[in-house]
Amino acid sequence: MGLALLGGIAALTHFLRNQHYQKLVEKGELTEEDVPAEINPADMECCGQHEVCEKESLLAAISKQIEYYDDEELDRFRGREGNDYTETETEEFRNVLYTMRSEEVAGWVRSLQLRQVNLPDDVKDEVFLIVGERRMN
């Protein structure tokens, strides 16, 4: 369970990192050559739970179904940068986050990703903590 949590956090971090670098390239602040090379997961130590890791990776890769969590109003933030939210807008995300069950948070984040809605930077750490605690238990 803990390894699955770490895998989920790593996947989310990887996704957010790639988005960040892509935006820097689009703005002209970096070139494609300046972006750090990808880390090949096969080069890392084996986790010993291939079936679990592969299943979760495959589910994340093929899961294109958008599920709403009574948060349709957040779609208006599509394409907005994580550091480009006002405090009031950030609170909208927190209100959704703290009214859902902890087991729904990872799915909610996936839904936001599919909808191209970036979490406010101030909420990301809170999400990581909730998802981390959930997977450790």
Side-chain angles (χ1 to χ4, degrees):
M1 185 87 145
L3 288 174
L5 168 66
L6 290 175
I9 291 173
L12 182 59
T13 302
H14 178 75
F15 174 80
L16 295 172
R17 173 187 169 267
N18 286 346
Q19 276 191 323
H20 173 73
Y21 281 119
Q22 183 61 36
K23 288 174 185 169
L24 290 175
V25 169
E26 290 172 4
K27 289 179 182 178
E29 296 178 17
L30 286 179
T31 64
E32 290 287 342
E33 294 79 28
D34 295 329
V35 176
E38 294 293 322
I39 297 172
N40 184 351
D43 295 339
M44 299 174 68
E45 286 187 31
C46 175
C47 71
Q49 295 188 4
H50 297 306
E51 290 179 27
V52 173
C53 296
E54 289 174 7
K55 179 181 176 187
E56 289 187 2
S57 295
L58 291 173
L59 287 176
I62 64 172
S63 174
K64 302 293 183 200
Q65 180 70 30
I66 295 175
E67 182 177 346
Y68 284 90
Y69 294 80
D70 292 327
D71 66 342
E72 294 83 0
E73 69 278 3
L74 299 179
D75 282 347
R76 73 181 191 276
F77 299 120
R78 181 175 284 126
R80 174 100 54 106
E81 295 290 330
N83 62 357
D84 193 27
Y85 290 99
T86 66
E87 188 58 38
T88 303
E89 292 168 338
T90 299
E91 283 305 311
E92 287 185 56
F93 283 86
R94 279 196 182 105
N95 287 338
V96 174
L97 174 63
Y98 289 111
T99 56
M100 67 178 54
R101 296 185 320 258
S102 63
E103 60 267 16
E104 296 176 318
V105 174
W108 176 61
V109 171
R110 179 71 179 143
S111 172
L112 291 174
Q113 290 172 342
L114 291 171
R115 292 156 45 196
Q116 299 174 351
V117 175
N118 293 315
L119 282 170
D121 289 345
D122 293 344
V123 177
K124 289 176 186 173
D125 288 338
E126 296 166 52
V127 167
F128 287 138
L129 287 173
I130 291 170
V131 171
E133 282 180 11
R134 173 78 183 136
R135 298 214 176 164
M136 302 239 352
N137 295 331

